[in-house]
Amino acid sequence: MPASHDLNGLMKFLSRDEWRERFAEVFDDHFGPILADGDMEFEELAEVLGADRAMTLWGCAFEDFLTQDFEGEPSNIVDEYLKRRGWKENAQTRAYMGALRSSVMSLYEVSDVVPGQSLMARDLLRGGEPIAVKEGTATKTLKQWDKIAARIVPVLGKNILAGSLLHFTREATESLFDGLLGVCGKRNARKLPAIKDEDLRAVASMFTLAWVFDALGKAMDMQMLQNAEGDVFMFHDVRFPLAAGVTQKDIAARLNGIAGMSQENAQFWNWLEYMPQGEDRPKEAGTLSLDTVMDNGLRVLGNVELKGGFLCLSANSAERAEKGTALIRRAFGDLVRTPLTEIRTIQQMMAERPAKDGKTPSSEMPPELAEQVIHEYLDQHYRETLDQPVRMLGGKTPRQAVKSQTGRQKVAEWLKYLENQTARQPDRANPTAAYSFEWMWTELGVHDLRR
């Protein structure tokens, strides 16, 4: 946060007994249901979501606290601080604190992002036209049609974002809308009515709760991913140094003698689940498996590859790595030395993308040609999609949906979702990142809703 928007003085003021106890009440509104449900402390929540996210979440509760009027005197921390300590702050900081005092947390749709400078924000809860916001930090990562929960405050003639901003996924947005419909007594309504400022202030904690439940669920799902045997995903790379004089022919003979080893080429084997002839692979009803399955229905338990002077076993769990290691040691005996094992979580594997050589799938052809080929494919794909049922449109095709006013709104949201997912492509050199959906807005006749 810029020095001119420094809230350190207010935060120190928070340590006073009368404010510390009141802040605990607001903090509990924002995090109590989550911490109680998970039987955890805030510090444990921070370990799961990360320190930076935890600080942003704490800031959401703090900014909400700044708007609160409590019984008795003093009733508001900002009023009291400016009265007693305001003379220490510059004019811009005082204006910022005053703006936060009367601020409202809302959900905005972002457009026309100029990195490092500005964005347009459309209030999805209070309605109205998009407003221009001066912003230097968040605009470096925000993309077209992102949805954010934030406080936009006027300071000395400019609209700026307060310090705590939450990026809302589609799932978190739906959860928030469902909660707000319930609060408004419109649970069965199709559309959320415009909400007044005072009503939004009363439900500020709902933004935090909706965001955290979504983020926490995704984080826990990622940590608890399992393979078909129910083992936790943990990638193991086991490297066996080869003894002197071992030849490629020796390796092939030993590996091909292991039940389930299927040779792909001179240096690579798939390690498949072994099913004796006449037996069928057992079906796991309702099991979600991220394992690779071959055309013959056999699951890939791992891979074995000859790399230089090493025989390398890769498996996605500790249990599979242990079993594969035992098989190789039994088959190879003294032909391999004591192995070295590298262990990586699925998060670490994902963080390693794109590939270490930095190449994209299209790097074997000129970038201009790759982009043309991929864009032509996307044109064909989305043109076919216009006549296919879309889940976000209630099972209707886009062409069917635009025949009603409600359907037009849903189609606009769907197109924004497609554009947003493309804009968030991490590799900006990827040809899909430059794909334009402009023609779809025009063909479906909803271009007037692209704002």
Side-chain angles (χ1 to χ4, degrees), residues 227 229-232 236 271 315-324:
N227 61 22
E229 289 87 22
D231 305 328
V232 175
H236 286 63
W271 174 31
N316 65 16
S317 73
E319 291 79 2
R320 288 184 180 179
E322 183 178 352
K323 181 179 178 181

Side-chain angles (χ1 to χ4, degrees), residues 400-434:
Q400 291 172 336
V402 293
K403 293 179 180 179
S404 70
Q405 187 58 40
T406 301
R408 282 168 51 81
Q409 293 289 342
K410 288 184 177 181
V411 168
E413 289 300 317
W414 173 64
L415 290 172
K416 287 179 179 180
Y417 175 74
L418 295 180
E419 287 191 346
N420 180 250
Q421 295 303 297
T422 300
R424 300 202 70 80
Q425 160 67 245
D427 181 7
R428 302 313 298 168
N430 190 303
T432 61

